[in-house]
Amino acid sequence: MLNVKNLKAKIDGKEILKGLNIEVKPGEVHAIMGPNGSGKSTLSNVLAGRDNYDATDGTVMFEGKDLLTLLPEDRAREGIFLAFQYPVEIPGVSNLEFLKTSLECLHTYQKKPLLSAVEFMKLAREKCRLVDLDTGFLKRGVNEGFSGGEKKRNEIMQMLMLEPKLCLLDETDSGLDIDALKVVADGINQLRSPDRSFILITHYQRLLDYVQPDFVHVLADGKIIKSGGSELALELEEKGYSWLESGTEQSANPLKV
Amino acid sequence: MSESNVIDERINSSYDAGFITDVEMQTFDPGLNENVIRKISAKKNEPEYMLEWRLKAYKQWLEMERPEWAQVNYPEIDFEAIAYYSSPKSQDDAPKSLAEVDPELLRTYEKLGIPLHEQEMLAGVAVDIVFDSVSIITTFKEKLAESGVIFCSLSEAIIEHPELIKKYLGSVVPVKDNYYAALNCSVFSDGSFVYIPKGVRCPMELSTYFRINEMNTGQFERTLIIADEGSYVSYLEGCTAPSRDENQLHGAVVELVALEGAQIKYSTVQNWYPGDENGKGGIYNFVTKRGICHTNAKISWTQVETGSAITWKYPSVILMGDNSVGEFYSVALTRNAQQADTGTKMIHLGRNTRSTIISKGISAGKGSNTYRGLVNISPKAEGARNFTQCDSLLIGDKCAAHTFPYIVSKNPSAIVEHEATTSKVSEDQLFLCQQRGIDPEKAVSMIVNGFCKSVFKELPMEFAVEAGKLLEISLEGAVG
Ligand SMILES: Nc1ncnc2c1ncn2[C@@H]1O[C@H](COP(=O)(O)OP(=O)(O)OP(=O)(O)O)[C@@H](O)[C@H]1O
Ligand SMILES: [Mg+2]
């Protein structure tokens, strides 16, 4: 599904990603952990095609397409979804309007039939319920005045609506109370399927208690420095990152899994 | 590429209404003197009283000076280079029905999306059509007359309803009010006249479409709306003009009179030609709009201003009667080299008078957008209240927004609240939209529409949609 090879990327001329490799196959869940400022959000932004995040070297193939040549909106339409670490507000634009426009853009591109207003409303209400957001939220401006946890749940709600192929979740579990964490995890598990993949960026084991990852990677200083199974996350939780950073080389391509 | 570069790249869009109608016109030679005024008055078969009024106004105008205080820049206007009257030849014998109107003129309005054949028209909307200096036709006149409503061209009212004209014309905006108003009084050509009788709720929306077509002509229309005691009317005006390289002057005056307990809702969708991306051409829109509220009356101004090279207008309300209410809802969009200096004046004279001002300014490109508002509470306006909210939205980093709220409160019991915000369409917002599959152009229009929502909801239904579309077209290419 996604194949990233030797990816290097700069923000405003400063190199942040320094030769990163990762391969994600359909149905897999990958967790990426790593110290603050190591480049995790940068990776998700580069994959999603954000302005100013310039890939300078390497390749990114998504379902056989060269992702780096696509416009951000076309990447989304191809099925890449990014749940933002810091969701932004769009005052005055209701969640409903936003979601409807978004879904229409996606379905048009994917040559799927558009939903009728009634079907759309039914779907939106149902997904709201799944993430435990009152349907009143649909009428409010996008993230406008939402609490931190509500914003995160709203990201999951959007993900459930759009049914992407590859979901990048950038610290969606941060700042959530226990119940909200469960809601987010349920949302992810609900979508898990043999042809859908996830990259979960997280600092904590607790999300991974609910969503079993197939692989765990450690990203430090713009590179994946270690990869393993779900047990690696437990080890990290216990020992932190310092034991890895001191000298451990990236093991002989553990990512070719 | 940075956000501003991206936005820069495509600030360029089409003006759909920019075509020219080819009909035979009779246009006065450029220039302004007493004789020209006599000729205008004669052309309209005006009674003597009107000619005298015009000539007096002209003398006063000659002694006045051009206002300099607005936050706009433009070369001095040569009033001798403007033609003050222009009308299609076919209008010489005023057509009595649509069937008699020159089909080329009807096609003009069809192209503008205003079908005039009554069966095709928006249900429940009567239209007065003003083309350059004359009113072409007013629809649904008979139907309105059934409930006693008078809706006709001002020229017709001057002849048919002299008692109302003598009483109210110039009663809200005095001749000497300002430079452009005085000019209008002397040379005004046509416009709409509305009278709603006591206790009548006008059975349909009334609207006027103003079209400037001829080159080098000024359009000086005048509208007078009188809502008698306890009546209600909703009125909308729309404006367009061809794309020309020369600037053209539009100097209108609108007067509203809301007698005791009456309500007037006046909406404007202004889309005069804004000039090209380098600021060449476009309409100078210098307009005086004012209403007066008697006891318990209410006047609402709603405006969506997307056109004109320069907009200079301050629709105002004189809250003379106790418990009267004034409202001003405005969306002004400037892009390319457009300049807008607009706002309102709320003059609180009566007790417990209330006013609300919601202004949304959007600047893109090198556009400059100024809100200028005055809230004046007189010593007698016990318990007066005002709430003002001015929000500015910037798209790109070459545009400007200014806010000049003037508050004069001479009554300690008055409560005046003012809120102002300035925000940008941020890169984060655009990226969020793109990440959800929405292209940047659609994203900007969605964000701007969201920003304007509280004003759009004040427009009559049919026109709220139109206004949204107009914004979308005006923003086309505002980002890439
Ligand atoms: N616009 C920018 N200009 C310069 N440096 C930047 C810019 N944006 C991010 N960086 C730097 O890039 C590095 C990686 O940031 P990134 O947000 O990817 O880290 P992260 O791994 O997601 O961290 P966290 O766990 O704190 O979310 C940081 O050192 C950050 O300061
Ligand atoms: Mg981060």
Side-chain angles (χ1 to χ4, degrees), chain B residues 388-392 403 405 418-422:
Chain B
T388 300
Q389 186 177 336
C390 296
D391 298 324
S392 307
T403 305
H418 179 92
E419 286 175 12
T421 65
T422 301

Side-chain angles (χ1 to χ4, degrees), chain A residues 36-37 39-42 85-86 170-171 201 203:
Chain A
N36 293 133
K40 303 182 297 298
S41 294
T42 304
Q85 182 173 5
Y86 305 108
D170 193 353
E171 294 197 30
I201 295 173
H203 285 296

Side-chain angles (χ1 to χ4, degrees), chain A residues 151-207:
Chain A
K151 282 181 182 169
K152 297 294 177 83
R153 271 186 278 166
N154 198 31
E155 294 290 286
I156 297 298
M157 143 78 183
Q158 291 174 10
M159 183 175 85
L160 291 169
M161 285 293 287
L162 303 181
E163 301 188 319
K165 289 184 193 148
L166 175 65
C167 309
L168 308 169
L169 281 73
D170 193 353
E171 294 197 30
T172 305
D173 57 331
S174 291
L176 294 183
D177 63 35
I178 309 289
D179 292 341
L181 182 72
K182 255 211 108 244
V183 163
V184 165
D186 287 348
I188 298 170
N189 287 327
Q190 172 112 31
L191 274 187
R192 280 186 80 160
S193 85
D195 45 15
R196 182 173 290 122
S197 312
F198 292 83
I199 296 179
L200 311 177
I201 295 173
T202 180
H203 285 296
Y204 308 105
Q205 169 61 34
R206 53 176 205 164
L207 175 67

Side-chain angles (χ1 to χ4, degrees), chain B residues 56-105:
Chain B
K56 210 172 125 202
Y58 176 63
K59 289 205 183 83
Q60 286 174 329
W61 177 71
L62 287 174
E63 287 163 17
M64 294 172 79
E65 280 181 20
R66 196 174 80 122
E68 298 287 356
W69 43 265
Q71 187 89 4
V72 293
N73 292 306
Y74 59 97
E76 195 141 345
I77 297 170
D78 180 1
F79 291 97
E80 290 303 314
I82 297 174
Y84 288 85
Y85 188 86
S86 178
S87 74
K89 271 230 170 86
S90 57
Q91 286 298 119
D92 262 3
D93 314 299
K96 296 279 172 299
S97 72
L98 278 170
E100 292 173 29
V101 173
D102 182 344
E104 191 57 33
L105 288 174

Side-chain angles (χ1 to χ4, degrees), chain B residues 80-385:
Chain B
E80 290 303 314
I82 297 174
Y84 288 85
Y85 188 86
S86 178
S87 74
K89 271 230 170 86
S90 57
Q91 286 298 119
D92 262 3
D93 314 299
K96 296 279 172 299
S97 72
L98 278 170
E100 292 173 29
V101 173
D102 182 344
E104 191 57 33
L105 288 174
L106 291 182
R107 262 195 296 282
T108 301
Y109 291 91
E110 249 158 55
K111 265 189 180 161
L112 293 171
I114 313 155
L116 291 177
H117 296 290
E118 297 200 359
Q119 63 275 24
E120 297 168 15
M121 290 197 316
L122 289 170
V125 182
V127 192
D128 183 20
I129 292 296
V130 177
F131 189 84
D132 288 330
S133 305
V134 290
S135 165
I136 303 288
I137 195 83
T138 310
T139 62
F140 289 116
K141 261 161 102 167
E142 289 76 23
K143 184 153 188 286
L144 289 165
E146 285 167 22
S147 41
V149 172
I150 304 171
F151 181 38
C152 63
S153 70
L154 189 63
S155 308
E156 188 180 327
I158 287 167
I159 297 167
E160 303 291 330
H161 308 285
E163 64 303 337
L164 288 170
I165 296 291
K166 280 182 191 164
K167 185 163 177 194
Y168 292 110
L169 196 73
S171 71
V172 189
V173 179
V175 173
K176 285 213 314 200
D177 188 79
N178 68 70
Y179 189 76
Y180 295 106
L183 177 62
N184 177 290
C185 290
S186 41
V187 301
F188 77 88
S189 39
D190 218 336
S192 302
F193 175 81
V194 176
Y195 173 78
I196 317 288
K198 257 183 211 177
V200 169
R201 190 181 167 88
C202 187
M204 50 176 83
E205 299 274 346
L206 305 183
S207 70
T208 304
Y209 271 88
F210 294 99
R211 173 80 177 164
I212 297 179
N213 188 62
E214 193 65 355
M215 191 137 48
N216 297 328
T217 54
Q219 193 179 49
F220 299 93
E221 92 269 359
R222 226 185 144 94
T223 293
L224 174 60
I225 299 179
I226 305 153
D228 213 328
E229 291 172 18
S231 68
Y232 169 87
V233 63
S234 167
Y235 174 94
L236 180 121
E237 63 171 354
C239 331
T240 56
S243 313
R244 296 189 190 279
D245 285 347
E246 300 79 23
N247 293 108
Q248 280 178 283
L249 179 61
H250 173 254
V253 170
V254 175
E255 294 178 288
L256 309 183
V257 180
L259 296 173
E260 188 170 337
Q263 282 190 37
I264 301 176
K265 188 172 167 59
Y266 191 106
S267 316
T268 303
V269 176
Q270 184 265 108
N271 187 24
W272 294 121
Y273 177 57
D276 69 9
E277 60 268 42
N278 302 312
K280 199 169 167 56
I283 302 289
Y284 291 161
N285 189 32
F286 299 153
V287 172
T288 307
K289 292 181 162 173
R290 194 174 305 152
I292 190 159
C293 277
H294 291 252
T295 308
N296 296 326
K298 175 175 170 183
I299 289 178
S300 294
W301 297 102
T302 305
Q303 58 174 28
V304 177
E305 307 274 326
T306 59
S308 298
I310 300 178
T311 295
W312 181 94
K313 71 181 263 204
Y314 314 90
S316 308
V317 185
I318 302 170
L319 297 158
M320 188 174 70
D322 293 350
N323 311 314
S324 58
V325 178
E327 294 174 339
F328 174 74
Y329 301 99
S330 170
V331 166
L333 172 93
T334 53
R335 52 189 285 275
N336 293 333
Q338 277 178 278
Q339 309 173 54
D341 191 306
T342 182
T344 183
K345 286 189 261 181
M346 292 290 173
I347 315 293
H348 292 253
L349 302 177
R351 280 174 297 160
N352 298 317
T353 45
R354 255 142 245 273
S355 62
T356 304
I357 299 171
I358 310 278
S359 162
K360 304 275 180 179
I362 304 145
S363 324
K366 289 174 287 179
S368 157
N369 212 318
T370 299
Y371 167 81
R372 188 185 301 278
L374 168 70
V375 175
N376 190 329
I377 315 259
S378 78
K380 285 188 191 143
E382 200 68 30
R385 290 198 65 158

